[in-house]
Each structure stands twice: as structure tokens, then as C-alpha cells.
Amino acid sequence: MTAPQQRQRGGGTSADRLGRLLNLVPYLLARPGIEVAEAAADFHITERQLREDLELLWVCGLPGYGPGDLIDMALDGDRVTITYDAGIDRPLRLNPDEALALVVALRMLAETPGIGSRDAIERALAKIETAAGDLADAPVAVRLPAGTERLDAIRGIVERRHALRMTYYTAARDETADRVVDPMRVLMVGNRAYLEAWCRRAEAVRLFRLDRIDAWTELDEPAAPPARAVPHDVTAGVFHPDAKLPLVTARVGRGSRWITEYYPCEEVRRDGDRWLVSMRVTDLGWAQRLLLGLGPDVTVLGPPELIERIRDQAAAALDRYAAP
């Protein structure tokens, strides 16, 4: 499963590396013949990572990607010099199509509830629209899918720093329960919105999917997360598989292969005309409902407790059909 930002070996996330690569060319242009060790220290990475970045730059450049289009450099022992920058040292000039695409993306970002630095987004959008001239009046209206009213309402409660009583559906246990929480922030992970809050029932920080909040009431009392309430790191997604969690293994057919794209998997390999899939789960009850729902297209191979639970539930369902 592809995470929003893949962790790069020794160099942070893919977004970190992209920013570093964009800065690396003008940095090297201003310091011809700089030692690799010195450049690596300035970027706070290892020499090995810098050399890997340089190898990547060698295949970057202008459309056409032939001789004279790609970034070129001279690597003499431990010293590096940029010999062709492919125009990356010049200010970026957007054509109308590129500018319009950027305006649409920024307008979408500005309309997304829970996004931080909204002021910075709006300032950047204003600058681009001013520079682009006619694009400022372009008939482009950005609207997010239905459900933004709920996002706006929850985000308002977070901004007012009030406690929240809500009715929440927990998919892992297939139950709905009332909770009182101390909201901390609203965030977007992938294409889903979450409320991060201190749950007084669980006495821990929890992430609540906003589309699973059935009802809510803003309380008069202020939100008061305790000092030990630490926000989650969602850089690599919401779910972080742990070796201590149960490992579910199943043989899936063509019609159920979508689960390998939708859920994080530890291993996916071919087994004849089927796929052998292994994934960590936080709750075997959730895995039971998922796999039963896939029907005969899936054969569960482990763990034994899950196999027994699925067999018992399937047998109980068959008994109901047999009853007059």
C-alpha cells in the first residue's frame, strides 16, 4: 500500500527529498568544486545520501530528456561542480495552463477544512492570481464533496476549544457508543478527515473519523487535554502496523485483490492464480467481518483463533437457513 509520503532511507520523507533536490542545484552552482562532505553537512544528511541525490539529479532535466536537456555535473573525487543546470537557476515561469492548474489546486486546498496555514495558502493564491492577470477572474469554482458542513462544525468546536459529546461508530468492534472528548485538532489524512482528541472514556489520545460521528453536541466546558496528550504522527498514515498485533493470512481471488490497495499489507505474493496476503490488524473481530464479507473468494489461513471464529459464524448462519 502506498503511503502519502514514503520514508526515504537516511533522508527523511519523499517531500523532504524533493525540497532538498530543488535547493541543491542553486546551492552547488554558487559553490563550484565544493567537497561532498561539506555539502552533506550543510543539508544535514549523510555523504551517502548526498551522492544518491546527485545520482538522481543526473536523470532530471527538461522535457526531451536527451543530451543537453538533463542536469549535468562533474564529480571529481570528493568534489562536485554543476556544469549544466537545465534552467533551474532561473525564476519559474508558468504558462497559462500551468498557472490555472496551480490556482485550482490552491483553491481546493483553501476550501479543505482542517488544513493548517490557511493564511499562507490564501497569500500564495493571491500572488499567483495577481501575476497571472486574467486568471484572477477565471470561472473556476472549487467545491468539496458532501459532508463539509460536519467538517466545518467540528473544526469550529476545535477552534473555540470546547469539549465535545458525540455518538461514534467504532468499526473495529462494530459498536456505537457515546463519548466525551477534549478536541485537539482536525486533520486530513489521505482523503479522510479526522478529529484528534483526548478520549475521557479511553483515557488516551484517539483519532475519530468524522464520517463515523453520528451526532455531536458542543459542551460549555473548555477542552482540557492533559499534559500527556501527545498528537499522533500521521506522516506515514493513520494505521501503523506493529509486530505485536495479530497477523492475518489469507488466500484471495481476483475479485478481492482490492484489499491489498485499501489496507496496509506486510506481504503480498502470488500463489498459483491467487494471491497470498498477510496483514496486521488491531482487532480480530474487524478482520472476521471483513473476510466473511468477501465470501468464497477468500480462504483464511491464520491465525487459528480467526479461522475458528469464522467457521463458527458461518456454521451459525447455515443453521439459520436450515431452520424451518
Side-chain angles (χ1 to χ4, degrees), residues 14-35:
S14 55
D16 295 333
R17 192 180 193 189
L18 175 60
R20 188 171 63 246
L21 289 171
L22 292 173
N23 288 319
L24 191 54
V25 173
Y27 170 89
L28 295 175
L29 283 171
R31 300 164 180 82
I34 189 173
E35 291 187 353

Side-chain angles (χ1 to χ4, degrees), residues 9-176:
R9 180 179 56 196
T13 64
S14 55
D16 295 333
R17 192 180 193 189
L18 175 60
R20 188 171 63 246
L21 289 171
L22 292 173
N23 288 319
L24 191 54
V25 173
Y27 170 89
L28 295 175
L29 283 171
R31 300 164 180 82
I34 189 173
E35 291 187 353
V36 172
E38 181 180 349
D42 285 345
F43 281 90
H44 305 290
I45 57 175
T46 64
E47 292 185 39
R48 177 179 178 179
Q49 182 60 47
L50 181 64
R51 290 182 182 274
E52 290 178 355
D53 287 349
L54 294 176
E55 291 176 0
L56 181 56
L57 283 176
W58 249 314
V59 294
C60 297
L62 301 171
Y65 308 109
D69 298 323
L70 302 178
I71 294 173
D72 200 5
M73 67 191 74
L75 191 57
D76 183 12
D78 291 331
R79 296 183 177 275
V80 59
T81 300
I82 295 289
T83 56
Y84 179 65
D85 56 42
I88 202 170
D89 64 323
R90 297 192 298 271
L92 180 63
R93 300 289 183 182
L94 300 176
N95 62 39
D97 290 340
E98 293 170 336
L100 182 59
L102 190 54
V103 166
V104 171
L106 287 171
R107 287 181 182 176
M108 175 68 79
L109 202 58
E111 289 290 327
T112 303
I115 292 294
S117 304
R118 189 179 299 270
D119 291 342
I121 295 170
E122 292 176 349
R123 288 197 302 271
L125 181 58
K127 289 181 180 178
I128 294 173
E129 289 178 334
T130 300
D134 294 340
L135 284 179
D137 300 320
V140 178
V142 176
R143 294 291 183 268
L144 293 177
T148 55
E149 295 82 2
R150 179 180 309 186
L151 284 166
D152 289 335
I154 299 298
R155 185 166 178 263
I157 295 173
V158 173
E159 292 175 347
R160 290 188 290 273
R161 299 183 179 181
H162 284 180
L164 175 69
R165 183 187 302 278
M166 64 182 182
T167 303
Y168 186 75
Y169 170 70
T170 303
R173 294 189 296 274
D174 191 26
E175 68 175 24
T176 300

Side-chain angles (χ1 to χ4, degrees), residues 1-6 236 260-261:
M1 186 173 183
T2 303
Q5 288 184 326
Q6 295 291 338
T260 63
E261 295 292 333

